Amino acid sequence: LLKGNYSNGRRSNKMEQRKIVETFVESMSQLMEILQTETDILNTQVYEGIDTLQTRKVQLTKHYLEAQDKMQASPDAITQLNDTERANLKVLYKKFRNTLSENMLTLRGSYDATDRVVNLVIEAVKKQRGVTKKNIEAFAARPQGYAAYSPSGSTNTALNTQT
């Protein structure tokens, strides 16, 4: 009776571990698909549907992180896989990392391009309004603490009271 329960529990444990791997693979595949879609949208600069894509990306990222945590908490899940399954998982993970890297670089490039355009617009508006560097200095950061009460360059002497 004990032997039967033990073997049944073992089979159940293997099934749970396989389910952990399957959930991880599914979450990785779905997130990879979203990342690729986002990369394509940024490259083509056709932004239709990007809002719903972002919402789905956040959901899938959470799902992926949860699945990854479960995988890390169950290292036996990977050892239960046969050699072919393990090799396929490695290939999928490498593809995921490449897709993620491509997406990150594309996002960074898009951000940098947008930042440059915004800065050009700001500079053009400043030029049109006659705002110069000299005018901007009036709004520059002011010295704080003791430095605010001493002439420039003499902060050390103002603080040194033991002479």
Side-chain angles (χ1 to χ4, degrees), residues 2-161:
L2 287 175
K3 190 174 183 180
N5 287 339
Y6 175 75
S7 117
N8 214 5
R10 224 172 161 188
R11 191 173 320 127
S12 174
N13 191 27
K14 282 185 179 186
M15 288 173 53
E16 288 171 17
Q17 290 174 346
R18 180 161 288 285
K19 182 68 176 165
I20 290 170
V21 173
E22 288 172 357
T23 302
F24 178 68
V25 166
E26 183 63 28
S27 67
M28 190 185 331
S29 298
Q30 288 178 359
L31 183 56
M32 192 167 38
E33 186 178 316
I34 289 288
L35 292 172
Q36 188 59 55
T37 302
E38 182 181 50
T39 301
D40 293 344
I41 286 172
L42 293 171
N43 286 333
T44 60
Q45 297 180 353
V46 177
Y47 300 106
E48 282 183 43
I50 193 107
D51 291 337
T52 55
L53 182 83
Q54 291 303 311
T55 303
R56 183 76 177 131
K57 181 180 169 184
V58 169
Q59 292 170 344
L60 288 174
T61 300
K62 288 178 184 175
H63 184 62
Y64 170 77
L65 291 173
E66 289 168 2
Q68 185 180 40
D69 288 344
K70 286 181 183 176
M71 280 284 287
Q72 288 173 344
S74 304
D76 288 343
I78 292 178
T79 60
Q80 298 294 328
L81 299 175
N82 64 41
D83 291 341
T84 304
E85 291 170 328
R86 235 178 281 142
N88 289 342
L89 184 59
K90 285 180 183 179
V91 168
L92 180 65
Y93 190 71
K94 185 176 181 180
K95 185 178 176 186
F96 176 75
R97 297 294 300 170
N98 288 338
T99 302
L100 181 62
S101 294
E102 181 184 354
N103 180 264
M104 289 171 58
L105 290 172
T106 303
L107 280 170
R108 183 63 197 191
S110 181
Y111 171 82
D112 289 346
T114 302
D115 193 48
R116 283 192 299 273
V117 169
V118 168
N119 286 333
L120 286 172
V121 169
I122 290 170
E123 289 303 316
V125 169
K126 284 180 182 178
K127 188 175 181 179
Q128 184 181 21
R129 292 182 180 173
V131 177
T132 63
K133 181 107 170 125
K134 196 173 191 178
N135 294 342
I136 294 171
E137 288 175 6
F139 300 104
R142 300 282 180 226
Q144 300 293 314
Y146 290 115
Y149 299 103
S150 28
S152 294
S154 65
T155 305
N156 290 337
T157 13
L159 293 176
N160 189 356
T161 59

